[in-house]
Amino acid sequence: MIWAAIVLLLVLALFGAPLFAIILGAAAIGFLTMETPLAVLHITIYQLTDSVVLMALPLFTFAGFLLSEAKTADRMMRLSQAAFGWLPGGMALVALVACAFFTALTGGSGVTIVALGALLLPALAKAGYQEKFNLGLMTSSGSLGLLLVPSVPLLVYGIIAQQMSQQLDMPSVEITDLYLAGLLPALLMVVALYLYCLWAMRKQPVPKQAFSFAELRAALWQARWEMPLPFVVLGGIFSGVLVISEAAAVTALYVLIAEVFLYRDIPLRKLPKIMRESMVMVGGILLILAVALAFSDYLVFAGVPETLFAFIQQHVESKLAFLLLLNLVLLALGALLDIFAALVIMVPLILPVALGYGIDPVHLGIIFVANMQIGYITPPVGMNLFIASYRFHKPITELFRATIPFMLVLLVVLLLITYVPSLSLFMIR
């Protein structure tokens, strides 16, 4: 009977059954093999409601949807250009900064390519950059902000790690620690890509635009209601005045007032549609999260992490070798799976093994999201490659070639993040 259930589950997966159903089915089969009543699934799924930071997920997501529907991209573009356009390689830096901040605020890399692509690609061409360079830069920059506050992937990782800390002998992972740990790695990625842009265009000098204080002041005034947002979130969280869920509520309310009543970018009649779309996405994430926790409970009860750790330790004795193997696996997963699916499937397996090698769980979270970020542009099936191909009307093979140099730069930074833990942990340890 058990083998028949396994075969049926595999067939359903091949025919495109929903991910949550496959994960829940695997957990049910696992508990049946242990002769455990399936009522345990209800208990483990209900554990998700114990998470004190759970409310932050729908609130941050709703705020991100509002910002993506408003004219935030235009204002971020103008402000970045006024602030950095006069520097060497100014337009390249403008693209990097604008994409990183927009991705951080909205929480979606594909959204960044769609929203900013129409603005930045013509601006880069007008500034004298070559088309291949522009395509590679825009496609690679689309996921730069996933390590910045209020990163939803880091939040999801933190929720899973906190739930698993009740089963494993490990301290609870604080969301604020993850947000602090992601700041310097995200900055390193932006700086590394900017330096590469300067080197790549060294033989083709691009004229710099003149700095205009009047334009900078006008851009700041235009973005006056959105500029304080990062400081509200960062200041509230890191000062200890607000916990994560409170900061998310303040963020959602602030964005709602700014975009609907102050900028008036979003009419009231569109709010129900935006709410519905954002909560549909949240519902999908929560459903997968809940069943993933049930599956992780089965893994712990069955001793799978210990068995997996013993097996890996037999073949991979060195911590450095394990980290290299981990990066290769995560890069492949990032190219094949959505980031949230990869998180809920792999974190319950990887976290206990990584702890066995002495890897800090906060550092592991940064490694995980950094790999997923690069996975978005990893050939042959990185999601951002297909989004950019659709948005810019270019063959996918052309985007493969355009993004490879940028991906190599990001891989070098990934190795630094992986093998120098202090880059992530110096602010929290």
Side-chain angles (χ1 to χ4, degrees):
M1 179 180 174
I2 295 297
W3 283 110
I6 293 173
V7 171
L8 177 61
L9 194 64
L10 291 173
V11 171
L12 289 173
L14 289 173
F15 278 92
L19 179 63
F20 80 90
I22 300 302
I23 297 175
L24 187 61
I29 292 172
F31 281 120
L32 283 175
T33 60
M34 298 171 62
E35 299 183 352
T36 302
L38 292 186
V40 72
L41 291 174
H42 303 85
I43 299 171
T44 55
I45 288 173
Y46 186 74
Q47 286 177 358
L48 185 63
T49 60
D50 292 336
S51 174
V52 295
V53 299
L54 188 63
M55 187 56 67
L57 181 60
L59 291 168
F60 277 141
T61 304
F62 175 57
F65 268 69
L66 285 173
L67 289 166
S68 64
E69 288 287 332
K71 296 179 181 178
T72 305
D74 299 43
R75 291 186 282 270
M76 290 297 102
M77 165 69 179
R78 183 182 180 187
L79 180 58
S80 300
Q81 192 165 3
F84 305 111
W86 58 276
L87 293 169
M91 271 310 302
L93 183 58
V94 166
L96 293 168
V97 172
C99 288
F101 274 102
F102 191 75
T103 301
L105 292 175
T106 61
S109 64
V111 174
T112 300
I113 292 174
V114 173
L116 286 175
L119 300 171
L120 285 169
L121 207 65
L124 287 164
K126 186 177 179 181
Y129 293 88
Q130 297 174 349
E131 183 183 45
K132 181 180 177 181
F133 175 88
N134 300 341
L135 291 170
L137 177 61
M138 278 306 305
T139 306
S140 305
S141 302
S143 57
L144 273 183
L146 291 180
L147 286 170
L148 293 173
V149 179
S151 167
V152 174
L154 282 179
L155 179 62
V156 171
Y157 172 87
I159 292 172
I160 298 172
Q162 286 179 357
Q163 294 295 321
M164 293 193 68
S165 68
Q166 300 172 9
Q167 306 159 354
L168 305 172
D169 185 18
M170 61 171 276
S172 180
V173 176
E174 298 297 329
I175 306 297
T176 51
D177 289 348
L178 287 168
Y179 284 160
L180 280 171
L183 293 176
L184 185 55
L187 179 62
L188 281 175
M189 288 185 171
V190 173
V191 171
L193 287 174
Y194 174 54
L195 293 176
Y196 167 74
C197 291
L198 292 178
W199 180 83
M201 301 301 292
R202 67 194 184 283
K203 294 181 180 178
Q204 184 184 344
V206 178
K208 294 184 291 184
Q209 71 176 47
F211 176 76
S212 170
F213 183 76
E215 171 61 16
L216 178 60
R217 183 173 58 187
L220 283 168
W221 176 252
Q222 188 183 40
R224 63 192 179 278
W225 299 118
E226 287 157 339
M227 279 300 295
L229 183 57
F231 302 101
V232 169
V233 179
L234 290 170
I237 293 174
F238 298 145
S239 67
V241 174
L242 301 173
V243 298
I244 293 294
S245 55
E246 293 169 342
V250 170
T251 300
L253 179 62
Y254 184 96
V255 170
L256 178 66
I257 293 172
E259 305 301 342
V260 176
F261 299 105
L262 299 177
Y263 284 123
R264 297 184 180 179
D265 286 347
I266 301 174
L268 284 171
R269 67 178 182 275
K270 288 190 66 176
L271 272 182
K273 179 183 176 184
I274 296 173
M275 289 179 181
R276 183 174 64 253
E277 290 176 349
S278 62
M279 291 308 106
V280 166
M281 177 178 174
V282 170
I285 295 173
L286 289 178
L287 188 57
I288 295 175
L289 256 180
V291 299
L293 291 176
F295 185 64
S296 69
D297 273 2
Y298 157 69
L299 294 177
V300 172
F301 293 152
V304 173
E306 292 85 351
T307 305
L308 182 61
F309 175 65
F311 175 78
I312 293 176
Q313 203 171 34
Q314 284 181 354
H315 300 85
V316 183
E317 297 181 3
S318 165
K319 175 182 174 180
L320 299 181
F322 169 75
L323 285 170
L324 180 60
L325 177 64
L326 175 64
N327 280 328
L328 293 174
V329 171
L330 291 179
L331 283 171
L333 284 173
L336 294 170
L337 295 176
D338 175 74
I339 188 169
F340 298 111
L343 281 165
V344 298
I345 292 171
M346 295 305 299
V347 171
L349 282 172
I350 291 175
L351 182 56
V353 177
L355 290 173
Y357 279 94
I359 298 168
D360 189 285
V362 173
H363 183 215
L364 178 66
I366 303 304
I367 294 173
F368 205 113
V369 175
N371 272 284
M372 294 296 105
Q373 177 177 307
I374 299 172
Y376 273 121
I377 59 169
T378 302
V381 289
M383 186 185 301
N384 279 9
L385 294 169
F386 291 91
I387 294 174
S389 175
Y390 173 79
R391 183 66 186 84
F392 303 137
H393 308 290
K394 298 292 181 182
I396 195 78
T397 52
E398 185 175 342
L399 289 166
F400 286 168
R401 293 190 295 269
T403 53
I404 284 175
F406 296 91
M407 186 179 70
L408 293 176
V409 172
L410 289 174
L411 287 174
V412 171
V413 179
L414 176 63
L415 290 175
L416 284 174
I417 294 170
T418 301
Y419 290 112
V420 187
S422 59
L423 293 175
S424 303
L425 304 177
F426 82 100
M427 295 181 69
I428 61 174
R429 296 286 186 263

